[in-house]
Amino acid sequence: MPQAPPGARRQWAADRAMRPPMRSPGRPEPSRAVQREFWRLIASGITSVQAAEGVGVSAPVGIRWFRHAGGMTPLSLDEPSGRYLSFAEREEIALLRAQDKGVREIARTIGRDPGTVSRELRRNAATRGGNPVYRAVVAQWKTQQAAKRPKTAKLVDNDRLREYVQDRLAGDVHRPDGTIVPGPATPPWKGLNKPRRQDRRWSTAWSPEQIARRLRLDFPDDESMRISHEAIYQSLFIEGRGALKRELVTCLRTGRALREPRVRSRNKPQGHVTADVVLSERPAEADDRAVPGHWEGDLIIGTGRSAIGTLVERSSRSTLLVHLPRLEGWGEKPYVKNGPSLGGYGAVAMNAALTESMTKLPEQLRKTLTWDRGKELSGHAQFAMESGTRVFFADPHSPWQRPTNENTNGLLRQYFPKGTDLSRWSAEDLEAVAHALNNRPRKVLGWRTPAEVFEEQLRSLQQPGVATTG
């Protein structure tokens, strides 16, 4: 390897003295070009192991990149401009330098200015052996280290903003009178996704987008109280942000520790519906959501045939939770085939609980109810007669025909996970969860809450001279 002339060594020493000390962490990490290609492959939908193989790094390295970044790309996927030397050009410089080529000849070969090559050889040479020796990998690593511009996260600097975000993401669930509902005791977070078929922490659980949008309504004149939902996600998912604790990902609806594609749940409807109550017979005014009083309903099921009824108003997105306690004799009497259901959501018990919930509403706000094809509402004719609410059933295997209810059931699974006993929660507990859900701002409502919209509907009904269509 040719030795650098004394003048070049003096110039290198002078340049090095002007720069802060740079401590090597060991073997240089792969170039940004390699990492960029890795995240492009991740974006195409393949696994981190396959993406690692695609860019020539080991599977553990690819997994570590993915997990440390929380499944979110930490760098821009756009190619850098031609203003800066690429890794390929640095490899060419290293090869030509090893052949004892001069700076101007190297510059002509790679099509760069001689000053660019000269500065590159001085600034980014490897010095581990005592003399500056140019190596492409080390030069690329030094360039990446020097190019870093660490920026303090907004949630770290702004205590008021951080408290606002954290309170609406991880705050306590309150009853309407303000008392705190602690919810179930949960095991400590181990850095994984939400526990399968176990209790989850009860929290206020606004989504990052709801928090970001609501800030504009709560602080219209305070520009310091602004943050994007993506910045909140980064504070949760990416290690080292320091603003929000990683375990707060359990307060997200999905409860995922990494950003991953959503897995769709399968709907399992059953058919027992007559032609007069199919969805096509539902009044057209229920479709555009302009007129209040049209509801969607379903059950969320727990262990031991426990269940909770869910009702969502299509216009305001207001939620009612129906308490379905187990009947007397549950667990004591032997099972009787075709006998009465003691689990709490047989046809008779379901009709009684639904009627009690719906009749608390004004008549103008209980026009129709769209249900899936579960047999728990096989007594819908009796329910319609007692409550004055017409019942319609969605088509088989068509959960999208009840979109608001399906979405709400997904939100409720944060409080009532699959595989847990739902009969232990009292009517007051269900009211507290519904209260928390109804006071979360919604994008579709212009970042107002369902409770605010529902209150407007009630006030409009109380005005004298308002015509009813019920």
Side-chain angles (χ1 to χ4, degrees):
M1 184 68 65
Q3 295 290 326
R9 287 198 297 271
R10 285 194 300 271
Q11 181 63 49
W12 171 83
D15 289 343
R16 187 68 185 85
M18 298 297 293
R19 297 171 63 180
M22 184 178 294
R23 179 178 177 273
S24 174
R27 181 180 179 181
E29 63 183 9
S31 67
R32 287 198 176 188
V34 173
Q35 298 180 53
R36 193 176 293 113
E37 182 61 25
F38 171 83
W39 287 105
R40 285 200 188 102
L41 293 175
I42 290 293
S44 69
I46 65 176
T47 66
S48 54
V49 173
Q50 294 171 327
E53 293 175 352
V55 298
V57 299
S58 66
V61 169
I63 294 172
R64 185 170 66 248
W65 286 353
F66 186 84
R67 293 194 64 85
H68 284 188
M72 304 176 66
T73 173
L75 71 169
S76 173
L77 298 184
D78 298 330
E79 287 291 342
S81 66
R83 174 184 175 186
Y84 305 101
L85 289 172
S86 66
F87 182 62
E89 288 175 316
R90 289 191 169 91
E91 286 185 319
E92 187 70 15
I93 292 174
L95 290 173
L96 294 173
R97 192 62 176 169
Q99 298 172 13
D100 203 18
K101 303 294 184 181
V103 170
R104 294 187 178 276
E105 186 175 356
I106 295 174
R108 284 195 300 270
T109 303
I110 66 174
R112 291 283 186 170
D113 185 86
T116 300
V117 177
S118 177
R119 285 191 298 272
E120 176 69 16
L121 291 171
R122 289 200 319 268
R123 293 177 177 177
N124 294 329
T127 58
R128 196 166 188 175
N131 291 316
V133 179
Y134 189 81
R135 295 187 178 91
V137 174
V138 176
Q140 184 70 22
W141 171 76
K142 285 191 172 185
T143 301
Q144 292 174 186
Q145 294 297 106
K148 288 181 178 179
R149 299 293 185 269
K151 183 180 179 181
T152 305
K154 195 170 186 178
L155 290 178
V156 174
D157 284 342
N158 193 331
D159 294 339
R160 184 181 174 207
L161 179 60
R162 182 175 66 253
E163 290 175 3
Y164 181 96
V165 171
Q166 190 160 303
D167 181 62
R168 279 143 187 86
L169 178 69
D172 295 319
V173 173
H174 297 80
R175 292 191 174 92
D177 61 3
T179 58
I180 295 177
V181 182
T186 57
W189 188 66
K190 297 182 179 179
L192 305 176
N193 290 350
K194 63 183 179 185
R196 177 176 172 80
R197 299 190 180 277
Q198 296 182 37
D199 290 323
R200 292 182 61 188
R201 171 184 175 182
W202 283 16
S203 61
T204 310
W206 288 19
S207 74
E209 188 175 13
Q210 289 169 336
I211 296 172
R213 296 291 186 172
R214 186 70 186 194
L215 279 166
R216 298 180 179 275
L217 299 182
D218 292 345
F219 304 94
D221 302 322
D222 190 351
E223 291 298 323
S224 67
M225 295 296 285
R226 299 286 185 272
I227 192 171
S228 69
H229 64 277
E230 197 67 15
I232 299 176
Y233 277 120
Q234 289 176 358
S235 295
L236 290 172
F237 285 131
I238 299 179
E239 292 185 5
R241 282 284 179 170
L244 298 175
K245 296 180 180 179
R246 283 275 287 131
E247 57 262 31
L248 294 186
V249 296
T250 58
C251 298
L252 298 175
R253 181 182 66 81
T254 60
R256 296 192 185 102
L258 302 174
R259 178 174 278 184
E260 295 182 74
R262 179 179 301 173
V263 179
R264 296 184 178 179
S265 60
R266 295 179 58 188
N267 188 31
K268 300 179 180 179
Q270 301 177 19
H272 60 279
V273 181
T274 57
D276 60 326
V277 291
V278 295
L279 189 68
S280 59
E281 298 297 320
R282 189 176 68 178
E285 70 174 27
D287 295 335
D288 59 8
R289 301 176 186 266
V291 179
H294 300 280
W295 296 76
E296 298 174 4
D298 195 9
L299 294 180
I300 54 175
I301 307 297
T303 57
R305 296 191 59 79
S306 59
I308 297 173
T310 64
L311 299 172
V312 188
E313 204 275 318
R314 286 174 56 82
S315 178
S316 66
R317 277 71 174 180
S318 184
T319 301
L320 293 177
L321 297 183
V322 182
H323 186 225
L324 299 171
R326 289 173 175 152
L327 303 185
E328 184 180 355
W330 167 261
E332 301 173 359
K333 300 179 181 179
Y335 171 74
V336 179
K337 186 176 182 180
N338 297 327
S341 174
L342 303 179
Y345 61 98
V348 176
M350 192 74 206
N351 274 2
L354 273 181
T355 302
E356 182 182 359
S357 296
M358 293 296 288
T359 51
K360 293 178 181 178
L361 302 170
E363 184 179 354
Q364 300 94 323
L365 292 182
R366 44 184 168 95
K367 299 171 183 173
T368 68
L369 172 63
T370 304
W371 204 265
D372 72 351
R373 299 217 164 189
K375 292 184 177 179
E376 65 275 358
L377 209 58
S378 57
H380 57 85
Q382 183 69 21
F383 165 74
M385 184 175 64
E386 294 176 352
S387 66
T389 304
R390 299 178 61 190
V391 179
F392 298 91
F393 292 90
D395 297 331
H397 307 285
S398 303
W400 59 86
Q401 293 178 346
R402 302 169 13 265
T404 310
N405 186 236
E406 286 290 322
N407 178 64
T408 302
N409 288 348
L411 298 176
L412 288 169
R413 281 301 185 185
Q414 182 166 353
Y415 302 95
F416 310 111
K418 294 180 180 179
T420 60
D421 183 6
L422 304 183
S423 65
R424 56 188 162 149
W425 304 119
S426 66
E428 290 76 17
D429 293 330
L430 301 189
E431 183 184 7
V433 173
H435 178 73
L437 215 59
N438 289 332
N439 283 278
R440 293 172 62 178
R442 304 292 178 88
K443 180 178 182 179
V444 73
L445 300 178
W447 304 109
R448 294 184 298 167
T449 67
E452 292 170 345
V453 177
F454 195 73
E455 185 65 28
E456 290 179 6
Q457 295 174 351
L458 290 176
R459 285 198 301 267
S460 67
L461 293 177
Q462 294 169 358
Q463 294 177 0
V466 175
T468 63
T469 58

